[in-house]
Amino acid sequence: MISTDLNKAKSILQSDNLIAIPTETVYGLAGNAFSDEAINKIFELKKRPRFNPLIVHLKSSDDLHTIAQKIPEEAIKLAEAFWPGPLTLVLKKQSHISSLITAGKDTVAVRVPNHPLTLQLLNLIDFPLVAPSANPFGSISPTSAAHVFNYFKNELEIILDGGACERGIESTIVGFEDGVSQIYRLGSVSIEEIKQVIGNIEVFHSESNEIMSPGMLSRHYAPKTKTVLVDDVEKSINQFLNKRIGLLMFENKITNTKIIAQEVLSELGDLNESAHKLYASLHRLDHLNLDIIIAEKFPDFGLGRSINDRLLRATKP
Ligand code: AMP
Ligand code: MG
């Protein structure tokens, strides 16, 4: 049921069951981080592989030391700059953190989300929440309560309704393995913003990265409809002429009678607005029984880079 009843949400969480929560990035499928029973339910409901660790959500950075230890200076600076907000830090875990959360690793991913309803909830309960995105594994992330309901129907007793997610794509994940700060997953905080706080940082690229942070798994965030990411949309339309085509565009509409549906993410060419609308547009296109979604490549800087990252994963066969 879609609701804003925090007391009911609290009692469901206290009995080791799951709810959906709004965050500024995407909706989360949340359970008590100190309950293995709840954590197991998350993996089962999402059909998420057990090797894919979860993010712990705290009410405040004051609680960080209860979850993580040996926190590097850069991590403190990033937390001060971006929390509450869409940045996840991967840190050495405290020994009591369940290995179900961390997929057996000795690191834990943690952030303070920036959504008033969820912060209110976190302040009502006396445990942190673990919350991956509230979608079946691999599918398009939900950015509204209705998206979550479409996926899980009444399997969730409560989907807390916090409106459309302000940022619209997942958190940026930063890790510090071997003393080197690296971006494990591009997301709602741009690389440029991170560089302003801690100086140069690389995006971690390699096959082994897929194990470091499975959000980097090649196919992910994907519509059911075949999707391609292209530089030249007009040219691509000509390659699929007898198909039912939908377009996902950055700022300009294309005039072509062959097109069945078209989503323009920001007529003003604003990358924040584009990120905010990305998944809702993909959800809409994915429900139209199209043969193909042609997505236009975004400018490769700021949030454009994060959007391209998601579109690239959405288009992997
Ligand atoms: P989701 O909550 O669905 O956005 O996924 C959480 C992301 O955080 C996944 O990509 C995880 O792989 C990543 N993550 C969680 N814990 C760790 C960790 N200890 N090391 C690296 N990545 C992590
Ligand atoms: Mg996810």
Side-chain angles (χ1 to χ4, degrees), residues 134-264:
N135 53 307
F137 180 69
S139 56
I140 310 170
S141 298
T143 54
S144 72
H147 292 158
V148 181
F149 184 78
N150 282 337
Y151 282 136
F152 296 114
K153 301 291 183 312
N154 292 316
E155 284 179 277
L156 286 171
E157 242 181 289
I158 276 202
I159 298 166
L160 277 184
D161 190 358
C165 300
E166 197 183 325
R167 300 299 196 109
I169 52 180
E170 292 79 357
S171 59
T172 301
I173 303 181
V174 177
F176 307 90
E177 220 112 333
D178 304 321
V180 185
S181 313
Q182 281 181 317
I183 293 180
Y184 293 165
R185 176 176 75 185
L186 295 164
S188 276
V189 176
S190 69
I191 305 181
E192 291 88 340
E193 287 173 286
I194 290 173
K195 283 183 177 168
Q196 278 176 12
V197 178
I198 56 166
N200 204 31
I201 186 166
E202 299 291 320
V203 180
F204 195 57
H205 280 297
S206 80
E207 281 305 302
S208 65
N209 191 32
E210 304 218 332
I211 298 147
M212 293 296 296
S213 199
M216 290 295 212
L217 279 173
S218 42
R219 184 176 168 84
H220 216 94
Y221 315 106
K224 293 197 187 71
T225 314
K226 179 184 156 81
T227 304
V228 292
L229 178 63
V230 301
D231 286 305
D232 186 339
V233 174
E234 306 261 12
K235 191 169 145 203
S236 185
I237 292 171
N238 290 326
Q239 285 165 353
F240 296 103
L241 268 190
N242 298 317
K243 304 281 186 197
R244 288 171 53 83
I245 301 175
L247 298 184
L248 184 75
M249 303 296 294
F250 174 31
E251 50 188 336
N252 297 313
K253 205 171 168 150
I254 279 192
T255 317
N256 185 320
T257 51
K258 300 270 169 11
I259 302 305
I260 290 184
Q262 178 160 199
E263 295 277 341
V264 178

Side-chain angles (χ1 to χ4, degrees), residues 26 46 48 51-55 57 88 90-91 101-102 105 107-109 131-133 135 170-171 173 177 184-185 211-216 220-221:
V26 303
K46 263 190 78 99
R48 183 174 176 108
F51 63 76
N52 196 346
L54 306 175
I55 298 175
H57 290 65
T88 296
V90 175
L91 301 166
I101 293 179
T102 67
K105 290 143 78 75
T107 53
V108 62
S133 52
N135 53 307
E170 292 79 357
S171 59
I173 303 181
E177 220 112 333
Y184 293 165
R185 176 176 75 185
I211 298 147
M212 293 296 296
S213 199
M216 290 295 212
H220 216 94
Y221 315 106

Side-chain angles (χ1 to χ4, degrees), residues 57-75:
H57 290 65
L58 302 176
K59 66 175 184 297
S60 151
S61 53
D62 296 341
D63 295 346
L64 182 58
H65 64 277
T66 66
I67 303 296
Q69 53 176 316
K70 298 185 180 151
I71 302 165
E73 193 60 35
E74 288 88 343

